[in-house]
Amino acid sequence: MAVSYFIGHGSPILALEQNGYTEDMRKLGESLGKPDGVVVFTAHWTRPGLMLTATDGVQETIHDFGGFPDELFQVQYPAKGSARIAEELRERLTSEGIGAQVTDARGLDHGVWVILRHLFPEADVPVIAVSVDPSLPPQEQYRIGQALSGWTDRNVVIIGSGSTVHNFREMSFGRPDAADPWAKEFDDWLVERMRQGETEALFAYRDSAPHGRRATPDYEHFLPLFIALGAGSGEAELLHQSYQYGSLSHLIIRFG
């Protein structure tokens, strides 16, 4: 059975924090052991078509944010890549009619290393970062995931890294542990639709979900959910749900 994950990567400061969310990521990492590699579709690398990092060397830790403590900019996640796994992944996507290219000129953005720092704190699992293409509708994002469904049998972890509720205009930074009812209502609707396998309703989330448009003004953060959904099989399992600043959602969902 194919297994994949969606992880809401939250604020970069989570790389330094210890809370219920990071603890559940740590537990998930322990349950995964030491896979041959981890593939992360990251909302912080957008471009037309798919691009994969392909190198056997240590990858740069990209601090693609501002306004945070100096301590955060000192964090390094010196994970190596795997040119072999990246090429296998590219071939798999291409064989399913999905264009993909590889590059050795990009490191790991915070959509990748913030979560991996908790999942695999020793940075001892090869990492392949993958860009996302916001020009594609949910159905096509799902198809990208489906192309990898059988491929996950080879002990490579597939993760979609984004956020289901990600609206900066709605965030209340003076309420770091708060959850706005409307944000939770949106996430609860998503989880139930995924548990029921109602993919058509999920594809139409902007109009069919409560607060669908309010929750997802930046589609690039939401779309990794569809990739993870397509890559897994079986029922969706909610592993964690919490919020920061009222409406910044932290979900961990296992598919399969």
Side-chain angles (χ1 to χ4, degrees), residues 117-144:
R117 194 164 190 256
H118 296 290
L119 292 172
F120 306 112
E122 301 301 318
D124 55 355
V125 175
V127 180
I128 296 88
V130 188
S131 67
V132 296
D133 185 349
S135 72
L136 302 177
Q139 294 89 333
E140 290 300 308
Q141 310 291 350
Y142 182 76
R143 192 170 76 88
I144 290 170

Side-chain angles (χ1 to χ4, degrees), residues 49-131:
L50 300 183
M51 184 77 76
L52 295 69
T53 59
T55 178
D56 291 320
V58 173
Q59 300 174 89
E60 176 190 2
T61 302
I62 304 174
H63 299 87
D64 53 334
F65 44 74
F68 289 93
D70 290 342
E71 181 184 5
L72 188 57
F73 291 89
Q74 304 308 313
V75 173
Q76 296 293 313
Y77 189 78
K80 293 183 177 181
S82 172
R84 176 181 57 82
I85 293 177
E87 181 57 26
E88 289 181 16
L89 176 58
R90 188 197 66 79
E91 291 176 356
R92 175 78 181 193
L93 289 165
T94 301
S95 71
E96 297 294 326
I98 299 167
Q101 303 177 55
V102 296
T103 180
D104 61 1
R106 181 184 166 87
L108 307 178
D109 61 58
H110 82 268
V112 180
W113 62 262
V114 166
I115 61 174
L116 295 187
R117 194 164 190 256
H118 296 290
L119 292 172
F120 306 112
E122 301 301 318
D124 55 355
V125 175
V127 180
I128 296 88
V130 188
S131 67

Side-chain angles (χ1 to χ4, degrees), residues 6 30 53 62 82 117 125 127 182 192 205 222 224 229-230 256:
F6 173 80
E30 290 175 352
T53 59
I62 304 174
S82 172
R117 194 164 190 256
V125 175
V127 180
W182 68 266
E192 185 59 26
Y205 71 95
F222 192 65
L229 178 65

Side-chain angles (χ1 to χ4, degrees), residues 88-248:
E88 289 181 16
L89 176 58
R90 188 197 66 79
E91 291 176 356
R92 175 78 181 193
L93 289 165
T94 301
S95 71
E96 297 294 326
I98 299 167
Q101 303 177 55
V102 296
T103 180
D104 61 1
R106 181 184 166 87
L108 307 178
D109 61 58
H110 82 268
V112 180
W113 62 262
V114 166
I115 61 174
L116 295 187
R117 194 164 190 256
H118 296 290
L119 292 172
F120 306 112
E122 301 301 318
D124 55 355
V125 175
V127 180
I128 296 88
V130 188
S131 67
V132 296
D133 185 349
S135 72
L136 302 177
Q139 294 89 333
E140 290 300 308
Q141 310 291 350
Y142 182 76
R143 192 170 76 88
I144 290 170
Q146 284 185 308
L148 304 181
S149 181
W151 189 76
T152 56
D153 294 339
R154 63 172 323 289
N155 196 30
V156 174
V157 178
I158 305 292
I159 296 174
S161 175
S163 186
T164 51
V165 183
H166 191 269
N167 186 335
F168 282 120
R169 290 173 295 179
E170 297 276 2
M171 291 180 193
S172 302
F173 291 98
R175 302 160 59 222
D177 298 316
D180 287 340
W182 68 266
K184 186 176 184 303
E185 185 180 358
F186 175 76
D187 278 345
D188 289 347
W189 182 92
L190 288 177
V191 172
E192 185 59 26
R193 298 290 81 69
M194 288 185 285
R195 283 174 172 162
Q196 298 299 326
E198 298 176 10
T199 54
E200 292 301 321
L202 289 165
F203 294 158
Y205 71 95
R206 283 175 63 83
D207 295 315
S208 58
H211 318 290
R213 295 175 183 269
R214 184 180 185 183
T216 60
D218 52 353
Y219 173 59
E220 71 272 10
H221 269 80
F222 192 65
L223 71 83
L225 177 70
F226 294 112
I227 297 174
L229 178 65
S233 59
E235 185 174 299
E237 180 183 1
L238 180 63
L239 303 182
H240 181 88
Q241 181 175 5
S242 64
Y243 298 84
Q244 284 188 322
Y245 316 122
S247 61
L248 182 58

